[in-house]
Amino acid sequence: MATIHNLGFPRIGKQRELKTTVEQFWANKISIDELTERSAKLQHTLLSLQNQSGLDWIPVGDFSLYDHVLDTSFLLGNIPPRFLTDIEQRQDQYFRVARGRCRQAAPAQAGEMTKWFDTNYHYIVPEFSANTRFSLHPETLLEQIRTAKSAGIPFKPVLLGPLSYLWLGKSHHFNKLELLEQLIPIYSQLFGRLEAAGADWIQLDEPILALDLDKHWQQAFRQTYTALGYGRLKILLTTYFGPLQENLDVIRDLPVHGLHFDAIRAGTETDIIIDTLDTSQVVSVGIIDGRNIWQADLNGLLDRVEPLYQHLGERLWLAPSCSLLHIPLTLESETHLNPELKSWLAFAQQKLESLHTIKQALTRGRSAVETDLAENRHAIKSRGLSTEVNNKAVKEKLETITPGLLQRNSPYSERAKQQKTGLKLPLFPTTTIGSFPQTPDIRKARKRYRDGNSSLAEYHLELENQIRIAIAEQQACGLDVLVHGEVERNDMVEYFGELLTGFALTEHGWVQSYGSRCVKPPIIYGDVSRPNAMTVSWSRYAQSLTDKPVKGILTGPVTMLQWSFVRDDQPRDITTQQIALALREEVNALESAGIPIIQVDEPALREGLPLRKRERNEYLNWAVNCFKLCTSGVNDATQIHTHMCYSKFNDIMESIAALDADVITIETSRSNMKLLDAFDAFSYPNEIGPGVYDIHSPNTPNSADIVKLIGKAAQKIPPERLWINPDCGLKTRSWEEVRPALQNMIHAAQILRAEHTRRGV
Ligand code: GLN
Ligand code: ZN
């Protein structure tokens, strides 16, 4: 019989129970006991939900109160020394590492957070040094196993493997691989405990096998698994997110009982992987896409899987390609989706059901599940033929893209002259990134309108009122380039998703981003077009209130793509081009409405970078071209800005420059302008506003610090090309915090201007 199993499941719950529970705990509204009790209950529900799909193995250890990498650090006793104070409760200590504080515990600098491979999930970065000592603390994991056992669940512990754990951590001038010798015995010890707890298999996740590994890391795999392998606990070595390529050699002759690979992203390696493995090893094929929300073509899949089953028999295991953490829990909660579109979708629960159908078809014949297969065939066909998906006019418009559409009329130096005359900005112009505080008033007005308790006209009046407040505040503190405040947007992607064709929004499609933070990515299901203007009336209204230039703000095409679930029936670059064309119309319309500056945000540009270096140039090429397609339709005198934040930018500086935006505002204050080191080797040609204060902190930045930061920046960029602005949008702050911060920022600009004039004289 073919075995079906799951690698990981969304943990936030149908009603985001995890979020509510931990947030109540943080706010001291519930006790540790209640936290434990409620989370065990949630875990039980999630396990039962998976069990309904007849899985042979269900993961335990994937559930986490905050982050599974942080759990691994606690499991292995690797807690950074600054947190080792006399905290009694383990949970308090855990959240203190995650968030820098918890309940009564004294604040400390939180563990750094960064993106999990190419997903939008953030993990807490483990910290390593020569002093790191590991020790085993399996209580939480064993407790989860008890929960599973008591519910009669066929469980399989899942753990981050030792090499990926080390790789994902940070260390200062220290070779992390030196820690292996210490780490391996801890894993061995743990295996003994898991076996004693009744585990048969363990899933060891080593996603770094999809990355470029040097020979030291490759050899470390052999060393590690030779020490760990072929014990009584059977190891399923698990890779996902990409092909193995040269790491195929790494898995050859490894003493593990099985290997899981991602057959969605590494499907072409199926045969070679099977050939590489031993005839006694299990081959787990990740055939259901764990990164996307589309219903799989089950009939097509069976055509691929049936011969594998014939060849491998019991050795064949089937699973989603990766953990289902990255997609929403269940479609059942969606009541407003268009039924046809809904029939094309599968969230985590539905993905497991598909797996079950495949198993039935393999073991009992396709006829045993004919109804399911017919329904699936129908859904796949209707998606392929739908006029909602395929829009001829959009396709034709793409054909008209010529290289000329990707270029501004004149080079930056020429444009800058015209913009200087037109905009009349002082040296070191000051601006913000777009959003202003989303006040309770704005939220209330939005809710009233959404609940049907106010009319569209009333809602719009309220938004205008809020824009008036934002403009007045900005004028009062003396900013040079104003914004309307993005009051109409609940979210920078969702807002545009609601107005463009080809996008659908869910009601409960939440996906964990970090800790208790969840996002609801739109679904791009069809060709994208812009039936109506989306932001023009708001920007125009704002501009009518002031003589200062108002900057229009849009979310860029690459970010729209990155932060949505995307089509799997056409290449990503084509989808992005469509979005870019639609946004180009908006950019041009803003210009026609008299908006002199337009900012196109691309905070997710870096995030889309492929995991393998050799694929990066191709991505950067089309990503840059899509930005240019979106922004090149304006006159020289119109100033194009872009904005980026919270990524490493140094290694893609050339592509950032290739965007040819007149101005880029970019987050740097957290790293104390480290970004600017990139300009030693590469001189940035256009204007730049390195963020001068961290908007995530409630602290007020002082003018002297800002002057110092800009002083540093001025060593690399001539003052004539420097702007002064915060790191990112201010929507999460209050006006009480924003006001003094901006005043100090503007005061800093005045000091800098005075200094500059003095020196010039
Ligand atoms: N314009 C957006 C804002 O100000 C940018 C947000 C972002 O970079 N994530 O909120
Ligand atoms: Zn930002």
Side-chain angles (χ1 to χ4, degrees):
M1 241 197 353
T3 295
I4 53 172
H5 70 122
N6 188 21
L7 305 184
F9 204 56
R11 47 203 177 213
I12 49 175
K14 274 189 196 169
Q15 262 86 43
R16 282 187 289 163
E17 295 89 327
L18 181 62
K19 178 186 177 68
T20 328
T21 304
V22 296
E23 287 182 357
Q24 285 181 350
F25 177 70
W26 297 340
N28 255 321
K29 289 189 186 138
I30 60 169
S31 64
I32 291 226
D33 291 344
E34 204 165 344
L35 171 74
T36 313
E37 194 183 306
R38 284 211 227 162
S39 57
K41 197 169 145 218
L42 173 58
Q43 202 211 334
H44 184 272
T45 311
L46 297 172
L47 289 169
S48 313
L49 208 63
Q50 295 175 75
N51 205 26
Q52 285 165 18
S53 316
L55 294 171
D56 298 295
W57 296 112
I58 292 173
V60 287
D62 59 331
F63 182 81
S64 169
L65 289 178
Y66 198 94
D67 161 43
H68 57 273
V69 181
L70 184 60
D71 292 2
T72 314
S73 291
F74 271 72
L75 173 73
L76 302 171
N78 179 30
I79 300 163
R82 68 179 177 286
F83 296 106
L84 292 177
T85 45
D86 49 349
I87 296 183
E88 279 170 36
Q89 300 287 356
R90 196 175 157 81
Q91 282 92 334
D92 278 332
Q93 197 181 41
Y94 175 83
F95 288 126
R96 194 153 165 264
V97 181
R99 314 171 58 235
R101 64 193 129 108
C102 188
R103 306 205 300 171
Q104 289 92 353
Q109 193 198 345
E112 190 182 317
M113 198 166 72
T114 199
K115 285 200 165 127
W116 174 249
F117 298 85
D118 58 353
T119 74
N120 199 13
Y121 175 81
H122 303 68
Y123 68 93
I124 303 285
V125 180
E127 296 175 30
F128 300 118
S129 75
N131 299 323
T132 300
R133 295 288 170 272
F134 298 107
S135 55
L136 184 64
H137 302 270
E139 301 75 21
T140 311
L141 181 60
L142 294 174
E143 186 54 46
Q144 292 191 17
I145 291 181
R146 272 192 288 277
T147 305
K149 269 166 83 174
S150 68
I153 303 284
F155 71 94
K156 168 192 62 173
V158 30
L159 267 189
L160 191 54
L163 289 155
S164 293
Y165 178 67
L166 287 179
W167 175 281
L168 294 170
K170 62 175 179 182
S171 65
H172 265 298
H173 309 295
F174 169 69
N175 177 9
K176 292 182 280 186
L177 284 175
E178 284 175 23
L179 293 173
L180 253 189
E181 216 173 306
Q182 250 202 77
L183 191 53
I184 293 172
I186 303 286
Y187 271 80
S188 295
Q189 235 178 336
L190 174 64
F191 287 5
R193 301 291 297 271
L194 294 175
E195 199 205 318
D200 188 6
W201 281 90
I202 177 160
Q203 171 190 326
L204 273 190
D205 285 2
E206 291 285 12
I208 63 165
L209 283 168
L211 305 180
D212 300 312
L213 299 178
D214 68 23
K215 65 172 192 312
H216 302 291
W217 282 88
Q218 290 185 333
Q219 278 159 6
F221 266 91
R222 185 151 311 278
Q223 177 197 346
T224 305
Y225 285 87
T226 305
L228 288 179
Y230 284 149
R232 266 182 297 186
L233 190 65
K234 295 178 213 146
I235 297 177
L236 181 72
L237 181 65
T238 300
T239 84
Y240 40 79
F241 296 156
L244 290 163
Q245 295 176 358
E246 49 288 285
N247 296 333
L248 268 167
D249 269 344
V250 175
I251 61 158
R252 196 184 306 278
D253 301 327
L254 276 196
V256 294
H257 290 81
L259 178 93
H260 170 88
F261 72 99
D262 180 336
I264 299 296
R265 292 197 176 176
T268 52
E269 288 184 343
T270 306
D271 290 341
I272 182 152
I273 287 176
I274 293 173
D275 283 350
T276 306
L277 293 177
D278 202 271
T279 50
S280 66
Q281 288 172 307
V282 158
V283 190
S284 168
V285 188
I287 45 161
I288 300 278
D289 192 349
R291 293 289 298 273
N292 218 330
I293 43 61
W294 301 107
Q295 182 79 254
D297 170 2
L298 298 183
N299 297 280
L301 263 187
L302 279 167
D303 294 342
R304 270 172 69 193
V305 170
E306 277 163 352
L308 291 179
Y309 185 49
Q310 267 163 19
H311 173 51
L312 296 168
E314 301 239 318
R315 285 175 61 208
L316 178 68
W317 286 23
L318 296 171
S321 58
C322 59
S323 165
L324 300 174
L325 181 66
H326 312 291
I327 59 175
L329 183 58
T330 180
L331 255 187
E332 276 171 9
S333 316
E334 301 300 323
T335 51
H336 294 350
L337 278 179
N338 166 321
E340 192 181 9
L341 170 64
K342 197 171 164 184
S343 76
W344 307 337
L345 303 178
F347 291 176
Q349 195 189 358
Q350 290 69 39
K351 298 257 172 187
L352 296 182
E353 285 162 7
S354 300
L355 206 53
H356 187 240
T357 309
I358 295 272
K359 173 171 173 160
Q360 298 293 319
L362 282 184
T363 48
R364 296 168 46 208
R366 292 196 195 197
S367 55
V369 280
E370 185 41 41
T371 330
D372 292 336
L373 291 181
E375 202 178 296
N376 178 264
R377 195 178 297 120
H378 180 78
I380 300 295
K381 194 166 165 207
S382 99
R383 183 175 165 209
L385 295 176
S386 166
T387 49
E388 297 270 326
V389 172
N390 301 295
N391 178 335
K392 206 157 149 250
V394 175
K395 298 234 150 74
E396 280 169 7
K397 218 186 259 176
L398 278 200
E399 302 289 307
T400 65
I401 301 175
T402 55
L405 287 193
L406 311 185
Q407 294 300 338
R408 298 285 297 269
N409 297 334
S410 314
Y412 163 75
S413 53
E414 179 53 36
R415 303 193 305 259
K417 276 186 227 148
Q418 295 194 36
Q419 291 163 15
K420 256 195 185 95
T421 342
L423 295 169
K424 302 190 187 62
L425 294 173
L427 192 67
F428 301 113
T430 53
T431 191
T432 61
I433 308 304
S435 60
F436 273 120
Q438 288 264 326
T439 59
D441 281 352
I442 300 180
R443 288 181 208 281
K444 269 188 238 149
R446 186 173 302 132
K447 185 162 175 4
R448 257 200 313 276
Y449 171 60
R450 294 236 146 152
D451 293 347
N453 296 328
S454 70
S455 68
L456 185 63
E458 282 165 334
Y459 177 51
H460 282 183
L461 276 181
E462 182 55 32
L463 291 181
E464 287 190 352
N465 191 20
Q466 294 297 333
I467 291 175
R468 241 180 352 256
I469 295 173
I471 295 286
E473 289 277 1
Q474 295 172 81
Q475 281 188 309
C477 58
L479 279 159
D480 301 307
V481 169
L482 314 192
V483 295
H484 75 286
E486 300 182 23
V487 294
E488 77 285 14
R489 301 176 202 177
N490 42 351
D491 174 273
M492 64 186 284
V493 174
E494 188 169 308
Y495 176 78
F496 293 97
E498 279 175 342
L499 298 171
L500 293 165
T501 69
F503 279 79
L505 284 310
T506 64
E507 282 167 274
H508 306 281
W510 297 102
V511 178
Q512 189 176 22
S513 170
Y514 63 90
S516 66
R517 254 301 289 239
C518 303
V519 293
K520 209 155 53 92
I523 297 169
I524 307 179
Y525 65 90
D527 290 332
V528 177
S529 65
R530 166 189 172 275
N532 295 299
M534 303 182 283
T535 63
V536 176
S537 62
W538 308 124
S539 291
R540 187 199 284 125
Y541 180 69
Q543 185 66 83
S544 75
L545 303 171
T546 173
D547 295 332
K548 296 265 176 82
V550 167
K551 172 167 74 165
I553 314 275
L554 304 174
T555 303
V558 182
T559 299
M560 291 289 295
L561 181 92
Q562 264 323 112
W563 291 352
S564 302
F565 288 116
V566 298
R567 302 173 61 164
D568 58 355
D569 59 347
Q570 84 184 3
R572 295 164 76 84
D573 59 332
I574 302 290
T575 305
T576 317
Q577 272 182 29
Q578 294 183 355
I579 304 171
L581 268 185
L583 290 170
R584 179 184 173 101
E585 291 171 12
E586 184 74 9
V587 170
N588 296 350
L590 282 167
E591 178 184 64
S592 306
I595 305 301
I597 305 181
I598 298 153
Q599 173 175 307
V600 177
D601 292 332
E602 283 292 20
L605 185 82
R606 175 66 167 69
E607 208 176 296
L609 213 58
L611 295 174
R612 297 282 189 167
K613 290 200 180 82
R614 63 172 76 91
E615 291 161 22
R616 293 188 177 167
N617 275 344
E618 191 205 333
Y619 161 78
L620 286 169
N621 259 337
W622 66 251
V624 166
N625 281 342
C626 285
F627 180 89
K628 291 173 79 179
L629 177 62
C630 165
T631 52
S632 295
V634 293
N635 297 318
D636 287 345
T638 298
Q639 191 168 64
I640 295 290
H641 288 214
T642 188
H643 164 71
M644 285 174 203
C645 50
Y646 311 111
S647 291
K648 292 183 205 127
F649 296 113
N650 299 44
D651 56 347
I652 60 161
M653 253 317 153
E654 284 183 35
S655 300
I656 293 180
L659 298 175
D660 197 26
D662 298 300
V663 182
I664 178 167
T665 55
I666 195 161
E667 171 253 346
T668 47
S669 79
R670 274 196 183 188
S671 66
N672 203 12
M673 301 268 160
K674 245 195 354 274
L675 167 90
L676 300 172
D677 294 347
F679 298 150
D680 288 338
F682 174 78
S683 74
Y684 187 75
N686 303 3
E687 289 159 56
I688 182 163
V692 292
Y693 79 86
D694 178 8
I695 58 97
H696 282 92
S697 162
N699 304 338
T700 311
N702 70 55
S703 304
D705 286 345
I706 297 178
V707 169
K708 240 186 263 158
L709 281 177
I710 292 291
K712 258 179 138 176
Q715 291 168 5
K716 316 259 169 139
I717 314 260
E720 297 73 32
R721 288 200 267 124
L722 276 176
W723 285 63
I724 301 192
N725 45 263
D727 257 358
C728 191
L730 297 163
K731 73 181 207 181
T732 55
R733 304 257 61 97
S734 68
W735 278 110
E736 285 65 38
E737 292 161 336
V738 166
R739 226 172 269 137
L742 291 181
Q743 279 159 2
N744 289 355
M745 188 183 91
I746 287 157
H747 184 58
Q750 286 157 349
I751 298 174
L752 285 158
R753 284 170 201 152
E755 253 176 36
H756 198 263
T757 327
R758 211 173 36 242
R759 254 189 257 136
V761 175

